[in-house]
Amino acid sequence: MSSFRCVKCNGESCTVGELRAAGGLVSSVLDVSTNKFKYVSCETCGYTEFYRADLSSRAQIFDLLVG
């Protein structure tokens, strides 16, 4: 990201990625991701912010079939 500036250390380099997580007991037992988050992590100090992203029904079904 060219305009990234860490709010903790003023670092200018970051890693961007995606994380999926189960939202409850049933989805956890079935190993199905019901929540999807994007993250931005400072490469200097490690400070990380998470942003909720939409998880399509198709992706949830794929997780169920693969898991």
Side-chain angles (χ1 to χ4, degrees):
M1 292 179 83
S2 60
S3 62
F4 175 78
R5 174 80 61 180
C6 179
V7 297
K8 297 290 182 180
C9 74
N10 286 321
E12 296 182 0
S13 58
C14 67
T15 301
V16 178
E18 182 178 291
L19 172 75
R20 293 184 184 203
L25 179 62
V26 174
S27 58
S28 178
V29 170
L30 295 176
D31 197 26
V32 178
S33 299
T34 57
N35 297 302
K36 177 178 167 184
F37 300 91
K38 302 259 182 194
Y39 68 84
V40 179
S41 183
C42 177
E43 291 183 359
T44 304
C45 71
Y47 177 74
T48 304
E49 292 183 345
F50 290 90
Y51 301 93
R52 185 182 310 265
D54 291 330
L55 185 60
S56 69
S57 296
R58 185 182 303 166
Q60 290 179 9
I61 292 170
F62 180 75
D63 283 348
L64 181 61
L65 294 174
V66 173

